[in-house]
Structures are given as structure tokens and as C-alpha cells.
Amino acid sequence: MDRLDNTIRPYAWGSTTAIPRLLGVEPTGEPQAEMWMGAHPGAPSRTPRGPLNEVIDKAPEHELGERTVARFGPRLPFLLKILAAGAPLSLQVHPDLEQAKEGYADEERRGIPVDAPHRNYKDANHKPELICALTEFDGLCGFRATDAAADLLAGLDVDSLKPYVDVLHAHPEDAALREVLTAVLSADPEEMTHTVTEAAAACARLGGAYAPYADIAHHYPGDPGVIAAMLLNHVRLQPGEALYLGAGVPHAYLSGLGVEIMANSDNVLRCGLTPKHVDVPELLRIVRFEAGDPGVLRPEASADGEEVYETPIDEFRLSRYVVTQGAAPHDLTRATPQILLCTAGSVRAGDQVLAPGESVFVPAEDKAEVSGAGTVFRATVAA
């Protein structure tokens, strides 16, 4: 197995303290948003044998295993991250696999550069993802029931929001959510800025269930995404709890530290809370206008001590082990590639001793045992 040297991305929304605290180092004063572990060409992990993507390119079947290559091609199909949100991320959705392929092919045909700011599809892959909380973690996930969304908006007593309240009460669920989100994102910018300003003041005054939206508006004053966010479920995860975000589900992370795993893609369509491009027609094509419970996940324990976060896709499988001093080692040998990440204590993985925030890549079929006293997350492929 190879110890990984990982890149930390300094996105503006990142916490200045959470990742340094996990790593046991002094903060730099700059935001540290995401630590990437994997073979994504944008920031591949470094190994003693070279960048992980190049290591895999040289011998994909040896590194990934025949099954993984046959199913997903000669590339690591997942990306593992530590995510530290110090401010809300953009409100966003991800396409399904067919939509991603169609969107990518269309933008390629039209000659839109991959790095163009108005480009929607960076690749032809979908991007389901799972976030597991390491600290208390706040987020938005999926649409509220329309009556609940209407009541939340009505409680602000803002005249310009009353037509949205009426639509949410009067129309069938999917039609109401579509109509209101379309209206919010297509409204006259000056009028919407005034509406958001009024709504933000009311949220700050009322507190309670409105407090998260007051904070969002503080970071994104006048942004229509503030109103769009109020259509969504607010979720507070406790450490060890997780959320699975499938295609078309609008979501945003607000604050906290977590382990995130996703299919190896960079396709994002934004709904707001961002200065970046918002393609309203394409967004409306991708969003699933379905209200429901966000579905907080808790790990399911197996007989060997593995705690698995079950998801409906094959590109990744996330689990964790809480290992105790003096217990027999856990044998993690598997026919698929793995990344092992320590998040607490001191864990021995093979001949490597991992402190919090440290990780290793384990090629398919390589012997992998963990022991010690701490918590280790295991990222691999479900197929």
C-alpha cells in the first residue's frame, strides 16, 4: 500500500481551522475547504511511486483489479474528500448518467471550452455523493413538503413572497415546486434583491427555524438562492450520520467537517448562493421536483466490525471501523482498490501508522489489515 500526500483546496467557503485541527497543525489563516484523496486529474494524490493517476495509468488491472476495470474502465471510479465548510456552499444539483452523457456531448459539439465559466458539463459522468459527519454538520437536502415550505415563507410576512405561498398551497406538488423555483431564479434581479433583503431581516428577527437562512443571507446578500434554499429540508447531522445525494436532488452544505465520497466527476448545475454561472433552463431539466424526507443514514454494522453506509450505486462504497487497542486486526483485503483514511486516534494499516487526516491507497488484492486504537474510513468500489 502507498501512503498518500493529498492536496488541500483553498475554496473561499472553507473553514480556516477545521482541517488544521484534524491534522494537528497550526492554521495558516487561509480557508482550507477540501482535502482530495484519489486519482482525479485536477489534484491527484501523490505516492512514493508518483501521482496516483499516473500509477494507475501504468498498470490499471494490477492497481484496480479486473472487475473494476471491466465495469468502470481504467480509472479509479471514486474520489474521497475531507470537506470543511466554514460558510455555505452553492445550492446545486448533479445530473444522472444519461443526462451527463447527453449534456457533455452537446457542449462538445457546440465547441464550448471545458474551462469556460458557462460550461455545465466538465465530463460525461454522473456525480452521486455521500457526506458523513465528523462534527455536527448542517446542510440542505431535497425539497420540503409544499405545505411546510409555504408555511415557512408565509411566516416571514413579506408581501412579494405571498404569490409563492399561494402557488405552493394550490398546485400539485411537482408543479408547485417547479413554478416557484422557476419564478425565484427568473425574477427581475433588482426586485429579487429587495425581496431577499426583506426576507433576510425577517429571518434574523425570528430566529429558530429561520436562523440557518439568516446565516445564508449574511454570506450571500440579495442572492435568489436564499429564497430557493427555504424550499429545501434543513438537516443537522450528528457525528457518524450521513446523507446520500442522488441525481437531481438540490442540496447545499452549510457548516461542519465531514468525509465525502463521490463518483469521479465534476458536473454541477447551480441554483444560487454563488457568483458563478446559473443556467436556469438546464437546471430545471435536471432537478427532480419531489418533496420528501432527506433520509439521514446511519451505518449498518456487520459481524466483522465494519459499519457500512448503504447507497444504491456501484462507483463507491464507504464504511468505517472503530478499532480498539489489543483487539485482533481487521482483514480488509479486497478484490477492488481501496483508500483507508484515519479520522481519530492512531491506526496501523499494514506497515503504515496513520494519524488523523492521513491515508493510504491499497491496490486490488493487496493484503490490508488495520489495528490500533481509533477510527478508519474505508473507501472502495461496490461492484
Side-chain angles (χ1 to χ4, degrees):
M1 63 180 65
D2 297 303
R3 182 177 287 269
L4 299 179
D5 179 16
N6 304 304
T7 296
I8 296 177
R9 310 305 292 263
Y11 306 137
W13 49 262
S15 168
T16 59
T17 58
I19 289 179
R21 186 181 302 120
L22 178 72
L23 298 177
V25 299
E26 287 296 317
T28 65
E30 298 298 318
Q32 297 188 8
E34 295 179 348
M35 185 167 74
W36 287 24
M37 291 158 280
H40 192 287
S45 297
R46 297 167 292 278
T47 80
R49 297 184 286 157
L52 186 56
N53 58 334
E54 295 180 10
V55 169
I56 291 171
D57 287 344
K58 289 175 183 176
E61 290 197 351
H62 171 73
E63 303 295 338
L64 305 178
E66 293 182 2
R67 270 194 313 180
T68 300
V69 173
R71 174 69 177 84
F72 302 109
R75 61 185 184 86
L76 190 66
F78 63 83
L79 176 64
L80 184 67
K81 300 179 180 179
I82 292 175
L83 183 146
L89 282 66
S90 62
L91 192 59
Q92 57 190 257
V93 296
H94 306 302
D96 63 27
L97 188 56
E98 183 177 347
Q99 291 165 339
K101 289 178 177 178
E102 290 175 355
Y104 181 78
D106 175 63
E107 291 185 327
E108 287 289 282
R109 278 194 302 270
R110 290 191 282 140
I112 301 175
V114 173
D115 58 354
H118 62 290
R119 174 101 183 204
N120 293 316
Y121 297 94
K122 310 295 186 184
D123 51 68
N125 199 18
H126 62 166
K127 193 188 176 188
E129 59 191 44
L130 177 78
I131 183 77
C132 177
L134 293 177
T135 65
E136 195 170 75
F137 193 98
D138 275 24
L140 306 173
C141 178
F143 287 107
R144 296 175 184 269
T146 48
D147 284 346
D151 290 345
L152 194 70
L153 293 177
L156 296 174
D157 196 26
V158 173
D159 286 345
S160 52
L161 292 177
K162 291 178 180 177
Y164 303 154
V165 173
D166 293 339
V167 169
L168 290 167
H169 278 313
H171 289 237
E173 176 184 279
D174 57 344
L177 292 169
R178 178 181 289 275
E179 184 173 340
V180 172
L181 184 63
T182 302
V184 168
L185 299 181
S186 305
D188 176 80
E190 187 173 337
E191 292 179 4
M192 181 51 65
T193 296
H194 181 71
T195 295
V196 173
T197 301
E198 278 194 76
C203 286
R205 183 178 68 254
L206 293 167
Y210 293 95
Y213 307 100
D215 184 64
I216 292 170
H218 170 74
H219 289 284
Y220 298 98
D223 192 305
V226 174
I227 306 301
M230 297 186 74
L231 301 176
L232 307 185
N233 296 296
H234 174 245
V235 184
R236 176 163 291 165
L237 300 178
Q238 297 304 312
E241 295 180 334
L243 284 175
Y244 171 72
L245 292 313
V249 177
H251 61 279
Y253 302 143
L254 304 181
S255 65
L257 181 71
V259 174
E260 184 182 35
I261 190 168
M262 62 190 63
N264 203 1
S265 172
D266 199 24
N267 286 325
V268 176
L269 288 113
R270 295 176 177 85
C271 314
L273 310 183
T274 178
K276 295 181 179 179
H277 177 62
V278 177
D279 185 335
V280 175
E282 185 65 9
L283 171 72
L284 296 174
R285 189 177 77 87
I286 299 302
V287 171
R288 294 182 179 176
F289 291 96
E290 302 169 356
D293 187 279
V296 173
L297 296 176
R298 295 170 183 85
E300 298 183 12
S302 61
D304 69 350
E306 184 179 27
E307 299 176 332
V308 182
Y309 294 91
E310 297 288 353
T311 64
I313 52 91
D314 293 337
E315 282 89 342
F316 61 75
R317 177 181 184 275
L318 185 70
S319 62
R320 69 176 184 179
Y321 287 84
V322 178
V323 296
T324 55
Q325 195 68 49
H330 295 276
D331 185 358
L332 275 58
T333 307
R334 191 174 168 90
T336 53
Q338 304 180 70
I339 292 176
L340 306 179
L341 165 68
C342 177
T343 58
S346 176
V347 175
R348 177 175 288 277
D351 61 354
Q352 307 278 347
V353 176
L354 304 180
E358 296 182 337
S359 56
V360 292
F361 172 73
V362 185
E365 306 287 3
D366 271 22
K367 182 72 173 176
E369 287 187 343
V370 295
S371 60
T375 302
V376 62
F377 279 82
R378 177 198 214 186
T380 186
V381 178

